[in-house]
Amino acid sequence: MFLQLLVTGLVVGSIYALVALGFVLIYKASDCINFAQGEFLLVGAYVALWVVTSYNVPFLPAVMLTLCLALALGVLVERMVLRPFIGEPVISVIMATIGLSSLMRGVTQLIWGTDTMIYPPVFPQEPVNLAGVVISQVYLWSLGLAILLLAVFSLFFKFTTTGIVMRAVADDQQAALSMGISVKKVFAITWAIAAMVAAVGGILLGNINGVNSSLAHLGLKVLPVAILGGLDSIPGAILGGFIIGVLENLVGGYLDPVFGGGVKEVVPFVILVLILLVRPYGLFGKEVIERV
Amino acid sequence: MLVLNNVEVIYDRVILVLKGMSLTVPEGSVVALLGSNGAGKTTTLKAISGLLQAENGKVTDGTIDFCGENITNMDAEKVVQRGIFQVMEGRRVFEHLTVEENLLAGSYTRKDRSNIKKDLELVCRYFPRLLDLRHRVVGYLSGGEQQMLAIGRALMAKPKLMLLDEPSLGLAPLLVAEIFKIVREINRREGTTILVVEQNANVALSIADYGYIMENGRIVLEGEVDKLRDNEDVREFYLGLTDVGKKKSYRDVKHYKRRKRWLG
Ligand SMILES: Nc1ncnc2c1ncn2[C@@H]1O[C@H](COP(=O)(O)OP(=O)(O)OP(=O)(O)O)[C@@H](O)[C@H]1O
Ligand SMILES: [Mg+2]
């Protein structure tokens, strides 16, 4: 039972980590929390599903296509919704993302309705037996894909010029501008990546649970994950995702039967409060470097 | 190479800061721009590099030409591509990046990516200390090391013209002298033209070929460095030297008059 819960926790955690990565990227670049992150996830899940079921496109190409669309969506949102707010107070930008989230949710419901839709089986159905733990293959694939993606992005930020430039803009926008770095371009890339990781999260989760508009609530649920890790830390987002995913499932598995359910949903927030009491910047939050 | 002609800069549509600023920087030279706090030195550099826009400032009159091209109110990105690189006041290094990553960020606009490794070595030759620190997070470096990094980062862009804003800020005199010596060397060896803004007139004039002195948004005096240094007003107001032996009361009156003439 313990191992079973642990593995489920890791799978869910890896998806949390992906979505949290989106929060962190946008926060780092523009000090703004994107309340539409959950809707990016929803749109990604719906689009992939729609491509797969309506046009009989095989799963993998469908995912690729969805990623391209997510990229375009991210750039579009940055250009249309956020760029007009450059130089305005952060709170205006946050309000804009809240507006955007309502808009996106409305449009998805208009197009795809409110009923739960299910992906045609893409991963092999028979569960595998790993050292006595029985796991359905969709979980394993999901975990593997999420970890692969997280690794790719971590390396990207650490070693590529674009990654370095993105971190530079997060550190000091004006100085970045002074060396000819296009801050607008960096913002666009940031939103594109945030939309893409959210879309992947949506597709994975959709494969596990099916797709309906409640998927977007995950955005709000993952926000504590990002805060837990430190809103401006990429490793923090990843670790925070796994921690919350695992704890939530363990607690849900052991305590929900005792209390009659509901504990699972509360746990992330309780942990968040406890950890923030000890570490106000989150587990890996960027310390304000002060030399004395 | 760089010509400012009667430039007027206004912040927030109402605050007039530069009032007919004119200055010329010949190719291959080191030019010093001196002046007291709030004279508009930083504003002048920002007008050249295009950073004014980010602060709601604008060149409203006059022209700025670089290598024969009009770059008045051009975007910062494009100005950097033309070969002008501003080292901002207060160093402004990327604190959470390593030394090497800071330098790489400086080379962002370079087209010849293959030469970058060679230039990293070049920077380390000018500033050997950076070589030992290359994997360190920059926020923890000393002020002097950060200033070296800021200049090294500019060098990575291979600019034709480097704008230095108060590189001496907050540094010990010995280190200031060392950094200015290296700046002069960069000018000689790499052929980089340099426009340096300073409060510390002494050290700036020690490496410059030509100097400008500005007050209240315009140039009030200019000349070859030797001539400036012999000028009585410059000696008193900017170099902190006074001829001893004069009667105090008389000097005070004269001082007041001269100061008034300058600011008027
Ligand atoms: N962004 C801005 N908005 C409004 N006014 C500004 C702005 N930046 C500078 N100023 C004003 O312009 C004047 C000149 O400022 P500037 O920074 O150019 O001076 P400076 O010569 O560099 O001074 P210092 O030696 O202290 O750095 C000052 O009076 C300042 O208050
Ligand atoms: Mg200044």
Side-chain angles (χ1 to χ4, degrees):
Chain A
M1 160 108 161
F2 175 77
L3 280 179
Q4 191 81 49
L5 289 171
L6 183 71
V7 172
T8 318
L10 286 176
V11 172
V12 176
S14 65
I15 295 172
Y16 287 175
L18 275 178
V19 181
L21 184 65
F23 274 116
V24 168
L25 284 178
I26 288 173
Y27 182 79
K28 270 171 84 87
S30 50
D31 284 337
C32 150
I33 291 169
N34 172 24
F35 279 94
Q37 190 70 10
E39 279 70 21
F40 278 155
L41 187 134
L42 187 64
V43 169
Y46 269 127
V47 167
L49 179 67
W50 172 62
V51 172
V52 168
T53 51
S54 308
Y55 300 97
N56 278 323
V57 178
F59 185 63
L60 220 56
V63 170
M64 292 300 164
L65 195 67
T66 308
L67 284 184
C68 293
L69 283 174
L71 188 149
L73 180 68
V75 172
L76 189 76
V77 165
E78 195 276 333
R79 177 80 40 110
M80 307 289 289
V81 185
L82 294 133
R83 194 163 299 175
F85 284 94
I86 283 184
E88 302 293 327
V90 172
I91 187 71
S92 325
V93 186
I94 292 177
M95 294 312 288
T97 68
I98 292 177
L100 178 69
S101 86
S102 307
L103 179 72
M104 284 171 70
R105 196 177 299 199
V107 170
T108 49
Q109 284 188 6
L110 215 61
I111 302 178
W112 288 291
T114 47
D115 296 335
T116 303
M117 296 160 86
I118 300 172
Y119 274 86
V122 259
F123 302 109
Q125 292 295 292
E126 67 275 17
V128 284
N129 193 324
L130 270 182
V133 189
V134 182
I135 310 163
S136 64
Q137 290 203 23
V138 60
Y139 275 37
L140 284 181
W141 276 101
S142 186
L143 184 63
L145 270 174
I147 290 180
L148 177 75
L149 210 61
L150 290 171
V152 167
F153 276 115
S154 300
L155 295 175
F156 169 78
F157 292 121
K158 186 72 199 146
F159 295 110
T160 65
T161 311
T162 310
I164 292 174
V165 163
M166 285 174 79
R167 283 184 292 139
V169 169
D171 240 22
D172 188 336
Q173 240 176 67
Q174 260 227 322
L177 205 60
S178 84
M179 46 202 62
I181 292 169
S182 166
V183 173
K184 289 174 190 160
K185 202 164 112 195
V186 167
F187 278 10
I189 296 175
T190 304
W191 280 81
I193 294 180
M196 280 161 66
V197 288
V200 173
I203 293 171
L204 295 180
L205 215 61
N207 263 294
I208 296 173
N209 286 340
V211 188
N212 63 37
S213 64
S214 71
L215 212 55
H217 295 313
L218 196 82
L220 211 56
K221 196 164 173 190
V222 172
L223 184 56
V225 170
I227 296 175
L228 170 74
L231 252 181
D232 46 17
S233 162
I234 291 166
I238 295 173
L239 199 71
F242 282 107
I243 291 177
I244 299 256
V246 168
L247 280 179
E248 187 188 79
N249 271 283
L250 288 180
V251 170
Y254 287 112
L255 295 188
D256 265 3
V258 183
F259 291 98
V263 190
K264 190 174 169 181
E265 274 69 40
V266 187
V267 172
F269 294 95
V270 174
I271 302 171
L272 174 72
V273 171
L274 288 180
I275 291 195
L276 289 189
L277 279 177
V278 189
R279 295 194 52 105
Y281 291 111
L283 289 176
F284 291 89
K286 182 155 78 175
E287 23 188 337
V288 180
I289 296 184
E290 267 181 81
R291 295 186 345 111
V292 277
Chain B
M1 178 179 226
L2 178 75
V3 182
L4 272 72
N5 191 3
N6 256 316
V7 171
E8 190 178 274
V9 166
I10 296 183
Y11 282 113
D12 299 325
R13 301 233 174 96
V14 285
I15 310 168
L16 177 67
V17 175
L18 294 192
K19 310 159 184 167
M21 170 87 187
S22 298
L23 133 172
T24 307
V25 182
E27 183 153 11
S29 63
V30 177
V31 173
L33 177 60
L34 311 175
S36 52
N37 287 110
K41 306 180 297 293
T42 301
T43 303
T44 306
L45 294 191
K46 284 185 178 159
I48 300 168
S49 65
L51 287 179
L52 270 187
Q53 278 97 318
E55 289 185 27
N56 213 355
K58 200 168 183 293
V59 177
T60 49
D61 201 7
T63 52
I64 303 176
D65 291 314
F66 180 66
C67 296
E69 186 186 7
N70 186 346
I71 59 163
T72 319
N73 286 323
M74 193 181 262
D75 278 346
E77 260 175 80
K78 291 194 188 132
V79 174
V80 178
Q81 283 161 12
R82 300 288 186 284
I84 300 181
F85 197 106
Q86 178 177 3
V87 178
M88 295 169 78
E89 190 173 351
R91 309 189 262 275
R92 303 295 284 270
V93 287
F94 301 120
E95 294 197 329
H96 296 88
L97 273 58
T98 65
V99 169
E100 194 170 87
E101 287 167 349
N102 264 271
L103 292 175
L104 288 175
S107 68
Y108 177 74
T109 48
R110 288 275 293 279
K111 297 279 186 290
D112 51 334
R113 310 298 304 177
S114 52
N115 289 332
I116 282 174
K117 203 146 186 114
K118 217 173 66 213
D119 290 328
L120 276 174
E121 284 162 21
L122 180 83
V123 170
C124 290
R125 216 155 346 112
Y126 281 112
F127 302 104
R129 216 174 310 177
L130 294 183
L131 187 62
D132 307 325
L133 299 169
R134 61 194 301 174
H135 297 300
R136 291 269 286 280
V137 173
V138 166
Y140 297 105
L141 302 191
S142 78
E145 288 157 353
Q146 290 186 359
Q147 186 63 60
M148 293 177 186
L149 177 60
I151 297 174
R153 192 171 61 176
L155 209 50
M156 288 300 293
K158 288 248 154 183
K160 293 186 198 136
L161 171 67
M162 206 187 277
L163 310 172
L164 296 175
D165 199 348
E166 297 202 33
S168 76
L169 196 74
L171 305 186
L174 219 63
L175 199 62
V176 172
E178 187 187 331
I179 286 182
F180 272 84
K181 210 185 86 208
I182 296 172
V183 168
R184 179 85 235 195
E185 231 174 272
I186 291 173
N187 166 253
R188 293 246 168 84
R189 284 214 216 138
E190 312 301 321
T192 313
T193 310
I194 286 169
L195 173 60
V196 57
V197 158
E198 259 303 334
Q199 297 272 350
N200 187 337
N202 242 319
V203 66
L205 290 182
S206 76
I207 65 157
D209 304 307
Y210 200 84
Y212 287 90
I213 293 177
M214 74 183 297
E215 285 295 340
N216 256 329
R218 59 168 72 92
I219 299 294
V220 291
L221 194 68
E222 62 175 286
E224 303 287 331
V225 169
D226 301 335
K227 294 220 184 75
L228 280 182
R229 267 202 250 197
D230 291 338
N231 183 299
E232 203 182 331
D233 295 337
V234 176
R235 286 174 73 82
E236 181 166 347
F237 297 136
Y238 295 99
L239 299 176
L241 306 167
T242 45
D243 302 320
V244 283
K246 280 191 183 164
K247 256 182 95 178
K248 197 168 190 256
S249 59
Y250 166 67
R251 211 198 78 198
D252 286 348
V253 172
K254 204 175 151 211
H255 176 114
Y256 172 73
K257 272 192 180 156
R258 258 164 43 203
R259 188 82 188 162
K260 209 171 138 195
R261 188 177 78 227
W262 274 54
L263 297 178

